[in-house]
């Protein structure tokens, strides 16, 4: 059972996400609270995944993210926004967010996205990916990023591409016919060689190095 905490200042958003996610047999919403109650609820309920609004009137979503990331057993945190061009996108991803979703994400896709997050996958809305790469992290292929990726073995580069495509460890293992343990070892080595702290940062660096094709507007990722 995947335990989810929904954090948003709007009661309607909290109720809607709760209703959609609780309809899945393998997902349980253990809390749906405004930002001021996020950290305390996370400590008490122990969620696996937190869906966190980045813009809230009572508390800054980035502050909540930082507090969640230093918990003894930190949850996976994906940021929620209604804005396709949110200036906080890059900051949140650099600060430890494991994904970034728009609030108008297709309800039919929401449960699968939560499962991907729980399994260690990367979840980025296509619009958010374009915002980060085109705007905040530069649209042109980066020579430093290319040099960093060149440190990887061929197998590690193949794993990195699948990480950047959003696959979980089990998904990568299935695609490459590797055990989950072997995939974890490769991912750990990739993060070390690239000198990044998260799978999302590795994915963005892979895009900057020119390893991936950016999704077109309206294309699912």
């Amino acid at each position: 059972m995947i335990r989810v905490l929904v954090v948003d200042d709007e009661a309607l958003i909290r109720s809607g996400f709760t209703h959609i996610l609780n309809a899945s047999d393998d997902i349980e919403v253990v809390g749906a609270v405004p930002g001021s109650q996020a950290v305390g609820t996370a400590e008490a309920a122990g969620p696996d995944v937190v869906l966190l609004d980045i813009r809230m009137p009572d508390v800054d979503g980035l502050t909540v993210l930082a507090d969640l990331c230093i918990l003894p057993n930190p949850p996976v945190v994906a940021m929620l926004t209604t804005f396709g061009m949110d200036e906080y996108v890059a900051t949140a991803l650099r600060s430890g967010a494991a994904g970034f979703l728009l609030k108008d994400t297709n309800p039919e896709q929401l449960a699968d996205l939560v499962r991907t997050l729980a399994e260690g996958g990367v979840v980025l809305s296509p619009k958010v990916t374009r915002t980060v790469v085109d705007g905040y992290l530069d649209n042109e292929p980066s020579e430093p990023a290319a040099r960093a990726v060149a440190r990887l073995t061929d197998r590690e580069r193949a794993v990195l591409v699948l990480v950047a495509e959003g696959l979980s460890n089990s998904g990568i293992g299935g695609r490459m016919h590797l055990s989950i343990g072997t995939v974890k070892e490769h991912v750990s080595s990739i993060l070390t060689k690239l000198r990044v702290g998260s799978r999302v940062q590795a994915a963005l660096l892979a895009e900057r190095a020119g390893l991936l094709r950016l999704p077109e507007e309206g294309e699912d990722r």
Side-chain angles (χ1 to χ4, degrees):
M1 186 67 71
I2 302 170
R3 298 165 60 82
V4 178
L5 172 63
V6 179
V7 181
D8 196 284
D9 63 303
E10 298 183 36
L12 185 60
I13 295 293
R14 298 197 301 267
S15 175
F17 272 54
T18 298
H19 176 75
I20 293 168
L21 293 174
N22 277 341
S24 299
D25 293 337
D26 59 337
I27 297 175
E28 177 188 7
V29 176
V30 296
V33 299
S36 59
Q37 301 176 32
V39 178
T41 303
E43 289 177 316
D48 303 301
V49 174
V50 176
L51 302 181
L52 172 63
D53 187 6
I54 198 168
R55 290 175 179 259
M56 297 178 287
D58 57 342
V59 62
D60 179 16
L62 295 176
T63 299
V64 175
L65 171 64
D67 290 340
L68 291 172
C69 287
I70 61 174
L71 291 177
N73 295 300
V76 175
V77 182
M79 310 304 293
L80 299 172
T81 183
T82 55
F83 306 94
M85 295 295 291
D86 196 310
E87 66 266 28
Y88 296 144
V89 168
T91 301
L93 295 177
R94 291 190 183 107
S95 298
F100 219 111
L101 301 175
L102 300 181
K103 291 184 182 179
D104 61 0
T105 295
N106 188 329
E108 296 179 357
Q109 297 177 342
L110 186 58
D112 283 338
L113 294 174
V114 166
R115 294 185 187 102
T116 298
L117 288 164
E119 293 175 1
V122 172
V123 171
L124 291 174
S125 159
K127 291 181 181 179
V128 172
T129 302
R130 190 169 293 279
T131 295
V132 174
V133 178
D134 288 356
Y136 303 111
L137 298 184
D138 193 350
N139 185 36
E140 295 300 322
S142 162
E143 185 176 339
R147 287 199 300 268
V149 168
R151 302 186 192 113
L152 306 179
T153 65
D154 290 343
R155 174 63 61 84
E156 288 169 345
R157 279 194 292 274
V159 171
L160 175 59
V161 168
L162 297 182
V163 166
E165 290 180 358
L167 271 67
S168 64
N169 289 339
S170 60
I172 294 171
R175 183 79 65 87
M176 298 185 67
H177 306 291
L178 300 172
S179 70
I180 293 179
T182 298
V183 173
K184 288 181 177 178
E185 290 176 1
H186 283 315
V187 171
S188 177
S189 177
I190 289 167
L191 297 183
T192 298
K193 289 182 178 181
L194 297 183
R195 299 175 184 173
V196 296
S198 73
R199 296 167 74 104
V200 170
Q201 292 169 347
L204 294 174
L205 192 138
E207 287 177 321
R208 295 189 72 194
L211 293 185
L212 303 175
R213 178 182 65 84
L214 284 177
E216 297 298 329
E217 290 295 337
E219 179 182 344
D220 291 335
R221 178 190 179 109

